[in-house]
């Protein structure tokens, strides 16, 4: 439970961040990228990544297209839109504000 | 319409409550005010969430509560940390730091 | 996603479904490739089906197929909260009804075009001039000789038409004994041709009917009159009726829907203009409007310029007939007059002219009331939507899209608006005729054809849709913006939403103040006008309009007056050329007082019999009343001026005698061109209003009466004057069989009639103001109540945590009252800004009048009253209970 909680407010942020560097990526790829980079400190629930992606697609933050893979299968890959880039900036700022605020509370002795 | 979640993250709120109470027993209003003050307004603590959080934390045995007089001689419920609450605070703090630094790493990471 | 995209999605749903399935499949395949078991991944996905639904529904909104179920759902939602729905429907119905009624009035008076060919190419002539108070004004009545001259002047550049001013007249059909009253219009022979109208029966008046004076006594009935009076009997053709001294033959029926050219009046009978034998050669017999239809190739302005040249030449010509002593300012004003062409597409009438501005103002007020009602309902629904945030959140979390929720809420508001507008239309069908009946004068009813056809239906439908959108959109957007996570957790909605509601409240208050403000001005105006001292007493005075078959010496008239006086219940009786305030006036410009420069100052003149001042209760300051045998200054048999006597009022003494007692003084009164006769002042009376209740009292001279054919009897009675009317009527007819009683009215009727506009404005705007106030108070109460309910838990916690009652109250009311004050301020500023527009129809009230501020106090008091109950409720929230209920 703790893990999902931690991600609740930040899944969008992480997805956008990943896509800002490694687009286009399919859902699975985004998921594994988050886990890899965080050194498995962050785990993404498979049940939450697709609703999140589709919601962001609907909101125009990301867009998707089908990409033919070498093994002949198609994969739906996502990349970030200009609006997504803007959203990323503000999400990042918010994240920084939140963490530093928590840090301030935690540092109370 | 797209709105990011602006609430205080649930798990984080528990931790902040525990942390605040680790210093001294307080009543609910005081806790909310303290958190708001120290976070410099980043956290707007919703009294509703606060109350459910108290109830939950008390049920799992991390908090004690008792009715006391406030300095303005009114009755209010005062909360204090139990031993297991103190332990939980340590666990949560560690977890939080780990997660936060992971996300920070991810945000800073290049390529 | 666009609507089009959504629509195509509807047909692509299976493909979309497949795409999502494929996406998930590819995910699982990938995971298996990396060494996880398919089962484990599936489990991690949770219920795959649910997953698929969740994903799919974000993209796909079944739209059309859910419309019907939306209606059912919306109806159930309305039924679920009857109190709120009823309040919403009733306030909307009231506002929609008032708006529809106002539209029907405005449409009937101002908007509806005549059912004729090329209405936009029709104009009527008017002359603009500066009135005696220096205000620009225009007149649109012309005499027949002028028409003839203009017709020659424009030649073949335009059709010039005589359109007589609608008037009532007594006619006798066939051999009937009793005369009946019809509304007739004299029209020139080309009118029906230019209008391109076809007869419903028989033929219409044609140019050949209008060639010689009194030559063609034919008449055309209006379709409406034909229906009402003759039940559409085709045998009406060839029947005759007597009007005045002529026998007219009915030759046809005008087409259905054409009821004359005057909004506010309905013509029953059209007759050729040249049948108006008295008028043909009478200069100054101005009972016609002149209409103009430029022929192809000519513009209206070209014709106007041509006529203007002619008009000026005519004026200079007429100047030569002016008295040589006429003041320079009067001459200059006369020469500055200008000919205008006014659009006649929607007809021309005095009702239209007089009620144009009042109706527009009332329409504006009614629209404000409608807006207030919309905001009210909007806020009510928004509160509901917020209360239903959990429900909405559930919908969102099971995948309902934003548009889906907007549809749901909009469907509800459309239902609300539809029910309300049905009720409102009902209300309008009752209230619009009521307003028309308020415009009635007993003797001369305003007859407005209120359209209940497609125009008002179209208006209602458009209005309903607009209203539904107006109050439905905000809550719909709000509902769709709900955040499932916070809402499901039971959190509050973010403050931005409440800010929106409060902004609406402020706007509502501002509109309400505006309505109150304007209504306050009208009410104050009406009150001041009603309370203005008139200088005479109208109560218990009966006015009988009599005529003799030929000119009778004054002696005969006085005998009649004596007979009336002798009737039980009659206190006194007198004669006058016409009653005061009957919209008749005789203005004398050339009064000269020895030793005083002529300044062209107009004076009113009224010829009265002995006993007039006593009957009207106009106090005598000095001198005497007229006696029998007194004569006015006049022209003798050998055209030499003969002296006479007169009585003047205070205003006259102020202007000509520095306010000193003028009794015994003399002056010169013009009696013919360049000829004056001396008049000795024998009496000095108090000021009394003569022509218009709104005007200040002008210098007035009363003169002894000349022998005449037509007179007004003024009878002061002890009791109800109208109760005596039948007695007096039969008394007159018995005494003189050659006398005719035209009308019997009370003097108070004249005053009421003159204040009709003010009364209408005051009554209706007061009604709107009360509705607006009611709506605003309900809105304020509803909003605060909602806020308290919404913050119940928070308030409970605050109380539990030690907040004092005052803090709680302050917390819930402070910004609300700030909003109210802000709204009040805005409304007041708006009111002052609009003040100039209404100022011209106010009587001795200025928008800056402190009286105008009174409604604001009422509003503020009402606001406080509305705030009180929820505030008390907030203080009495039991923390223990609220916390337990969590």
């Amino acid at each position: 439970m703790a893990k999902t909680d931690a991600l609740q407010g930040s899944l969008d942020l992480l997805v956008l961040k990943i896509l800002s560097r490694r687009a286009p990526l399919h859902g699975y790829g985004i998921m594994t990228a988050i886990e890899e980079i965080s050194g498995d400190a962050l785990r993404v629930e498979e049940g939450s990544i697709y609703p999140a992606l589709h919601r962001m697609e609907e909101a125009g933050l990301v867009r998707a297209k089908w990409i033919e893979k070498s093994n002949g299968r198609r994969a739906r890959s996502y990349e970030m839109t200009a609006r997504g880039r803007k959203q990323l900036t503000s999400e990042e700022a918010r994240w920084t504000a939140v963490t530093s605020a928590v840090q301030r509370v935690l540092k109370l002795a | 319409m797209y709105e990011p979640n602006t609430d205080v993250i649930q798990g984080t709120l528990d931790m902040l409550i525990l942390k605040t109470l680790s210093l001294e027993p307080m009543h609910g209003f005081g806790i909310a005010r303290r958190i708001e003050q120290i976070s410099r307004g980043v956290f707007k603590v919703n009294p509703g969430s606060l109350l459910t959080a108290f109830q939950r934390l008390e049920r799992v045995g991390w908090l004690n509560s008792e009715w006391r007089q406030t300095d303005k001689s009114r009755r209010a419920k005062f909360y204090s940390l139990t031993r297991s609450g103190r332990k939980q605070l340590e666990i949560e703090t560690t977890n939080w730091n780990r997660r936060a630094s992971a996300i920070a790493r991810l945000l800073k990471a290049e390529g | 996603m666009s609507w089009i995209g959504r629509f195509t999605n509807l047909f692509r749903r299976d493909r979309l479904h497949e795409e999502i399935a494929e996406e998930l499949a590819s995910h699982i395949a990938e995971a298996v490739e990396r060494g996880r078991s398919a089962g484990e991944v599936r489990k991690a996905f949770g219920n795959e089906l649910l997953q698929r639904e969740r994903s799919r529904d974000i993209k796909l909104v079944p739209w059309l197929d859910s419309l019907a179920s939306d209606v059912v759902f919306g109806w159930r939602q309305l039924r679920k909260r009857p109190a709120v729905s009823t309040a919403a429907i009733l306030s909307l119905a009231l506002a929609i009804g008032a708006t529809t009624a106002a539209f029907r009035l405005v449409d009937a008076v101002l908007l509806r075009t005549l059912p004729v060919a090329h209405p936009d190419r029709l104009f009527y002539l008017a002359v603009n001039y500066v009135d005696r108070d220096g205000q620009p004004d225009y007149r649109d009545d012309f005499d027949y000789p002028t028409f003839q001259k203009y017709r020659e002047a424009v030649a073949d550049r335009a059709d010039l038409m005589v359109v007589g001013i609608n008037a009532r007249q007594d006619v006798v059909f066939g051999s009937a004994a009793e005369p009946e009253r019809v509304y007739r219009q004299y029209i020139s022979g080309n009118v029906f041709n230019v209008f391109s109208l076809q007869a419903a029966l028989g033929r219409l008046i044609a140019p050949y009917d209008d060639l010689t004076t009194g030559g063609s006594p034919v008449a055309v009935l209006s379709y409406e009159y034909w229906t009402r009076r003759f039940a559409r009997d085709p045998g009406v053709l060839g029947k005759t009726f007597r009007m005045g001294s002529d026998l007219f033959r009915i030759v046809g029926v005008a087409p259905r829907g054409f009821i004359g050219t005057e909004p506010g009046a309905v013509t029953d009978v059209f007759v050729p203009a040249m049948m108006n034998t008295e008028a043909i050669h009478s200069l100054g017999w101005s009972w016609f409007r002149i209409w103009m239809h430029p022929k192809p190739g000519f513009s209206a302005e070209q014709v106007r310029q041509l006529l203007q040249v002619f008009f000026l030449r005519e004026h200079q010509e007429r100047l030569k007939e002016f008295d040589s002593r006429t003041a320079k300012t009067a001459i200059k004003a006369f020469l500055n007059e200008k000919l205008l062409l006014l659009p006649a597409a929607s007809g021309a009438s005095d009702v239209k002219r007089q009620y144009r501005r009042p109706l527009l103002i009332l329409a504006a007020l009614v629209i404000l009331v409608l807006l207030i009602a919309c905001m009210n309902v909007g806020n009510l629904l928004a509160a509901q939507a917020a209360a239903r945030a959990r429900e909405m959140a559930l919908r969102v979390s099971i995948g309902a899209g934003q548009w889906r929720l907007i549809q749901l809420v909009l469907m509800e508001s459309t239902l609300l608006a539809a029910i309300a507008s049905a009720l409102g239309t009902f209300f309008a069908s009752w209230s619009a005729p009521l307003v028309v009946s308020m415009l009635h004068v007993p003797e001369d009813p305003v007859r407005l054809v209120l359209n209940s056809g497609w125009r008002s239906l179209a208006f209602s439908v458009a209005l309903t849709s607009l209203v539904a959108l107006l109050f439905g959109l905000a809550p719909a957007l709000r509902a769709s913006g709900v955040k499932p996570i916070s809402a499901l957790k039971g959190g509050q909605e973010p403050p931005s939403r409440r800010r929106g509601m409060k902004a609406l409240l402020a706007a509502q208050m501002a509109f309400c103040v505006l309505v109150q403000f304007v209504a306050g001005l009208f009410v104050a105006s009406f009150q001041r006008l009603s309370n203005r001292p008139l200088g005479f007493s109208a109560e218990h005075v009966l006015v009988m309009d009599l005529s003799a078959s030929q000119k009778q010496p004054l002696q005969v008239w006085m005998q009649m007056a004596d007979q009336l006086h002798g009737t039980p219940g009659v206190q006194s009786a007198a004669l006058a050329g016409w009653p005061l305030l009957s919209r008749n006036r005789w203005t004398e410009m050339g009064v000269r007082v020895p030793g005083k420069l002529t300044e062209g100052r107009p004076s009113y003149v009224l010829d009265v019999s002995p006993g007039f001042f006593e009957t009207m209760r106009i106090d005598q300051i000095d001198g005497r009343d007229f006696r029998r045998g007194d004569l006015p200054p006049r022209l003798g048999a050998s055209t030499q001026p003969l002296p006479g006597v007169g009585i003047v009022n205070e205003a006259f003494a102020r202007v000509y005698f520095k306010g000193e007692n003028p009794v015994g003084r003399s002056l010169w009164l013009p009696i013919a061109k360049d000829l004056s006769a001396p008049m000795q002042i024998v009496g000095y009376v108090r000021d009394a209003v003569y022509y218009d209740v709104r005007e200040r009292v002008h210098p007035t001279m009363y003169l002894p009466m000349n022998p005449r054919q037509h007179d007004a009897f003024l009878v002061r009675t002890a009791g109800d004057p109208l109760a005596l009317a039948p007695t007096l009527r039969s008394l007159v007819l018995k005494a003189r069989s050659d006398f005719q009683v035209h009308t019997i009215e009370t003097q108070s009727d004249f005053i009421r009639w003159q204040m009709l506009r003010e009364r209408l404005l005051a009554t209706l705007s007061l009604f709107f103001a009360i509705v607006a106030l009611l709506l605003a108070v309900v809105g304020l109460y509803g909003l605060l109540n909602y806020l308290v309910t919404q913050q119940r838990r928070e308030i409970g916690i605050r109380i539990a945590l030690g907040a004092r009652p005052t803090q709680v109250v302050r917390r819930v009311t402070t910004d609300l009252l700030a909003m109210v004050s802000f709204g009040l301020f805005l409304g007041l500023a708006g009111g002052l800004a609009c003040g100039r527009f209404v100022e011209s129809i106010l009587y001795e009230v200025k928008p800056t009048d402190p009286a105008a501020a009174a409604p604001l106090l009422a509003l503020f008091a009402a606001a406080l009253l509305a705030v009180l109950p929820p505030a008390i409720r907030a203080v009495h929230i039991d923390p223990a209970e609220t916390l337990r209920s969590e």
Side-chain angles (χ1 to χ4, degrees), chain B residues 15 21 24 67 69 105 111:
Chain B
M15 180 177 71
L21 287 178
E24 53 176 330
W67 287 95
Q69 298 277 325
R105 228 177 9 256

Side-chain angles (χ1 to χ4, degrees), chain A residues 8 26-28 31-32 45-47 49-51 54-55 57-58 66 69 71 73-76 78, chain C residues 1 6 19-20 22-24 26-27 29-31 33-34 36 41 44-45 51 54-55 58-59 485:
Chain A
Q8 207 158 48
H26 51 314
Y28 189 87
M31 202 180 86
T32 45
E45 297 276 317
E46 281 161 312
I49 181 91
Y50 286 102
H54 292 160
R55 196 182 58 240
E57 187 187 356
E58 185 80 346
W66 288 95
K69 293 210 298 188
N71 57 11
R73 262 208 315 271
R74 295 200 306 163
R76 204 164 142 81
Y78 295 85
Chain C
M1 192 184 282
R6 190 168 309 282
E19 283 196 351
I20 292 166
E22 187 180 349
E23 187 176 9
L24 296 188
S26 90
H27 178 102
E30 191 121 359
E33 261 172 38
R34 309 262 168 119
R36 286 165 69 190
V41 181
F45 261 128
Q51 177 74 24
R54 272 163 79 180
S55 282
I58 287 169
K59 304 171 123 328
I485 294 160

Side-chain angles (χ1 to χ4, degrees), chain A:
Chain A
M1 176 172 175
K3 278 187 181 175
T4 32
D5 272 349
L7 285 172
Q8 207 158 48
S10 47
L11 181 56
D12 292 4
L13 167 67
L14 296 180
V15 169
L16 288 174
K17 190 70 194 176
I18 295 295
L19 287 180
S20 76
R21 306 211 191 101
R22 302 188 184 179
L25 268 182
H26 51 314
Y28 189 87
I30 296 170
M31 202 180 86
T32 45
I34 291 174
E35 291 175 358
E36 264 170 34
I37 299 178
S38 67
D40 272 352
L42 302 170
R43 294 218 47 184
V44 182
E45 297 276 317
E46 281 161 312
S48 57
I49 181 91
Y50 286 102
L53 278 170
H54 292 160
R55 196 182 58 240
M56 286 196 282
E57 187 187 356
E58 185 80 346
L61 303 182
V62 301
R63 61 172 165 256
K65 58 183 177 204
W66 288 95
I67 288 183
E68 204 74 34
K69 293 210 298 188
S70 49
N71 57 11
R73 262 208 315 271
R74 295 200 306 163
R76 204 164 142 81
S77 298
Y78 295 85
E79 59 191 358
M80 193 157 55
T81 63
R83 196 194 286 188
R85 199 164 294 280
K86 243 189 228 158
Q87 184 68 29
L88 173 60
T89 317
S90 65
E91 291 260 307
E92 269 189 283
R94 194 175 63 85
W95 173 256
T96 315
V98 168
T99 42
S100 56
V102 173
Q103 287 300 352
R104 271 198 299 279
V105 177
L106 291 183
K107 280 198 194 102
L108 288 177

Side-chain angles (χ1 to χ4, degrees), chain C residues 105-182:
Chain C
L105 283 170
V106 170
D107 182 49
V109 177
L110 303 178
L111 298 180
R112 202 185 313 145
T113 47
L114 297 175
V116 301
H118 321 297
D120 50 322
R121 295 270 289 165
L122 289 173
F123 301 88
Y124 64 102
L125 268 54
V127 175
N128 77 349
Y129 66 99
V130 175
D131 72 6
R132 66 192 62 223
D133 295 325
Q135 298 297 316
D137 201 349
Y138 71 90
R139 57 167 182 267
D140 54 5
D141 45 354
F142 292 86
D143 55 30
Y144 201 85
T146 304
F147 162 71
Q148 282 171 314
K149 278 179 228 154
Y150 286 180
R151 186 170 54 185
E152 272 167 43
V154 301
D156 53 0
R157 295 179 187 85
D159 291 301
L160 220 55
M161 300 164 271
V162 161
V163 177
I165 289 168
N166 186 311
R168 91 195 117 100
Q169 194 154 9
D170 285 344
V171 303
V172 180
F173 276 98
S175 55
E178 281 294 305
E180 41 196 295
R181 187 157 286 174
V182 300

Side-chain angles (χ1 to χ4, degrees), chain C residues 284-347:
Chain C
W285 188 279
S286 301
W287 291 105
F288 302 109
R289 287 195 179 87
I290 300 180
W291 284 43
M292 196 276 287
H293 176 253
K295 292 224 164 120
F298 295 98
S299 74
E301 179 55 21
Q302 279 171 323
V303 179
R304 192 199 70 79
Q305 281 171 3
L306 182 97
L307 283 173
Q308 171 69 27
V309 172
F310 191 78
F311 172 83
L312 258 184
R313 206 179 321 137
E314 182 96 328
H315 258 49
Q316 260 140 9
E317 203 62 35
R318 278 196 27 214
L319 200 58
K320 289 180 193 151
E321 293 157 26
F322 271 39
D323 194 292
S324 57
R325 296 157 298 185
T326 307
K328 282 213 179 69
T329 48
I331 293 174
K332 199 172 158 216
F334 180 71
L335 286 178
N336 271 339
E337 292 185 356
K338 221 180 113 192
L339 199 65
L340 303 175
L341 277 183
L342 301 175
S346 53

